[in-house]
Amino acid sequence: MHKPALAGVLVLLLACPAPGRAAVTGVVFQISTTKVASWKVAMHNVHNLEATGISGHDIEIVILGPAIHILLKSSPVAPSLTRLHASGVTIDACRAAIRRARLAPGAILPFVHYIRSGIAEVVRRERQGWAYIRP
Amino acid sequence: MHKPALAGVLVLLLACPAPGRAAVTGVVFQISTTKVASWKVAMHNVHNLEATGISGHDIEIVILGPAIHILLKSSPVAPSLTRLHASGVTIDACRAAIRRARLAPGAILPFVHYIRSGIAEVVRRERQGWAYIRP
Amino acid sequence: MHKPALAGVLVLLLACPAPGRAAVTGVVFQISTTKVASWKVAMHNVHNLEATGISGHDIEIVILGPAIHILLKSSPVAPSLTRLHASGVTIDACRAAIRRARLAPGAILPFVHYIRSGIAEVVRRERQGWAYIRP
């Protein structure tokens, strides 16, 4: 191939949005309510997705403000979250939301991944082409 | 065009994500609550979308576990679902969810499309570039 | 580069979905419930997103039928909506939904942007590659 053609091809490779490729891998779940029933549905959804062959490493659960109590060691879905974490699922929460809810750091599940903004993380993943699920 | 350049172009055509084009056609709705009010909103949304010119054939409604009773012949939105089905809308549910809820097969609307996993279907459609609506 | 190769490159540039680029800018929020608590969460989410550097001009909030009362001047989140509008956020609603709810035009926040169909607007934005948030 001529060099200019090669350059054109490289430009195109960069122009073709990366999200298209990332789309083949990730799924981001947003949990944003205080309802335990909806937390259980979300856990079930994630387990179910893994059962269809999607790796936990390609799944991220973002906990938004009002849902923050889901992350307590005493949460009714703590065993599910622990199992999901063990299979590679990332569980994100904003440190600020935890502070606002006055949760004691020692009361929080130890594997929570702290991020600056939950909502910004969901947007970031969608922009990368991840599928978005709001259970 | 030289053969290597042509090969590069073909590689790029494959690299350009198909989802971008598929995005022009489909819309996937996810119904996942037990609330009749939210079912009615969802039905209204779908009708409304059809009124703006999107064909029913490009709309899919995925019923997730807790919402499964929406599919009973006695469901308050059974007439709406029947009408939507008649206009080409696909209505999906997992056979497993129906079994778990112990619904008698004869009590289910006859046009339900059975799939392995509702959540996996939503993810599959999003990956194809379909717009996702969680009413 | 040879002309045929150049033509191929141009074809590819057109084939690469524009949504991929649009994805870098917008976020569309859908508000579709009557719950004031969920309205507050949505307002908080949008503020939070702006705090991470996303311009209000790249954020659109679509109000769907049942949530229409959020747009009353007497709404508990009217001050938040006013602030968001001032920072460039677009707030959309269908005139039909307002009529159906029999809201007096003078009772509605003055900066509401009227559109034909809220749900069609959400779909349109998703097809343009905008990230979708259902708070």
Side-chain angles (χ1 to χ4, degrees):
Chain A
M1 202 186 302
H2 290 275
K3 274 196 183 148
L6 184 63
V9 160
L10 286 175
V11 161
L12 280 169
L13 274 172
L14 294 170
C16 280
R21 275 191 295 278
V24 183
T25 55
V27 182
V28 60
F29 283 77
Q30 168 194 307
I31 300 188
S32 47
T33 77
T34 55
K35 275 180 281 181
V36 172
S38 84
W39 297 354
K40 288 184 178 168
V41 169
M43 296 301 104
H44 189 76
N45 286 345
V46 181
H47 282 301
N48 205 281
L49 208 52
E50 287 190 302
T52 67
I54 293 181
S55 162
H57 294 278
D58 294 324
I59 299 174
E60 192 168 321
I61 303 174
V62 180
I63 310 299
L64 294 190
I68 207 77
H69 292 84
I70 198 176
L71 298 174
L72 287 172
K73 288 175 181 168
S74 59
S75 147
V77 299
S80 287
L81 287 172
T82 304
R83 215 160 42 231
L84 291 176
H85 167 72
S87 75
V89 176
T90 301
I91 292 132
D92 295 320
C94 328
R95 206 177 287 277
I98 288 176
R99 263 201 307 267
R100 261 197 312 276
R102 295 165 190 255
L103 305 185
I108 308 290
L109 290 166
F111 49 76
V112 172
H113 179 237
Y114 294 96
I115 54 178
R116 187 171 159 218
S117 161
I119 195 79
E121 177 66 8
V122 174
V123 168
R124 192 179 74 88
R125 286 309 199 184
E126 286 196 66
R127 284 176 171 180
Q128 288 179 336
W130 285 40
Y132 166 66
I133 299 285
R134 204 294 204 171
Chain B
M1 200 186 301
H2 290 274
K3 273 194 185 151
L6 183 63
V9 160
L10 286 175
V11 161
L12 280 169
L13 274 173
L14 295 171
C16 279
R21 274 191 296 276
V24 183
T25 54
V27 182
V28 60
F29 282 78
Q30 168 194 306
I31 301 189
S32 46
T33 78
T34 56
K35 273 179 283 180
V36 172
S38 84
W39 296 353
K40 289 184 179 169
V41 170
M43 297 302 104
H44 188 77
N45 285 345
V46 181
H47 283 299
N48 205 282
L49 208 52
E50 287 190 302
T52 68
I54 292 181
S55 161
H57 295 279
D58 294 325
I59 300 175
E60 192 168 321
I61 303 175
V62 180
I63 310 299
L64 294 189
I68 207 76
H69 292 84
I70 198 176
L71 298 174
L72 288 172
K73 288 174 182 167
S74 59
S75 148
V77 298
S80 288
L81 288 172
T82 304
R83 215 159 42 229
L84 291 176
H85 167 72
S87 76
V89 175
T90 301
I91 293 133
D92 295 320
C94 328
R95 207 176 286 278
I98 287 176
R99 263 201 308 268
R100 259 197 313 277
R102 294 163 190 257
L103 305 186
I108 308 290
L109 290 166
F111 49 75
V112 172
H113 179 237
Y114 293 95
I115 53 177
R116 189 171 157 217
S117 162
I119 194 80
E121 176 66 8
V122 175
V123 167
R124 190 179 75 89
R125 287 309 198 183
E126 286 197 66
R127 284 175 172 181
Q128 288 180 336
W130 285 39
Y132 166 66
I133 299 285
R134 204 292 205 176
Chain C
M1 200 187 302
H2 291 273
K3 274 197 183 148
L6 184 63
V9 160
L10 285 175
V11 162
L12 281 168
L13 274 173
L14 293 172
C16 280
R21 274 190 296 277
V24 183
T25 55
V27 183
V28 59
F29 283 78
Q30 169 193 306
I31 301 189
S32 46
T33 78
T34 55
K35 274 180 282 180
V36 172
S38 84
W39 297 353
K40 289 184 179 169
V41 169
M43 297 301 103
H44 188 77
N45 286 346
V46 181
H47 282 301
N48 205 281
L49 207 52
E50 286 191 301
T52 69
I54 292 180
S55 162
H57 295 278
D58 294 325
I59 299 175
E60 192 168 322
I61 304 175
V62 180
I63 311 300
L64 295 189
I68 207 77
H69 292 84
I70 197 176
L71 298 174
L72 288 172
K73 287 175 182 168
S74 58
S75 148
V77 299
S80 288
L81 287 172
T82 304
R83 214 159 42 230
L84 291 176
H85 166 72
S87 76
V89 175
T90 300
I91 294 133
D92 294 320
C94 328
R95 207 176 286 277
I98 287 177
R99 264 201 307 266
R100 259 197 313 277
R102 294 164 190 256
L103 305 185
I108 308 290
L109 290 165
F111 47 76
V112 172
H113 179 236
Y114 294 95
I115 53 177
R116 188 172 157 215
S117 160
I119 196 78
E121 176 66 9
V122 174
V123 167
R124 191 179 74 89
R125 286 310 198 184
E126 285 197 68
R127 284 176 171 180
Q128 288 180 336
W130 285 41
Y132 167 66
I133 298 286
R134 205 291 205 175

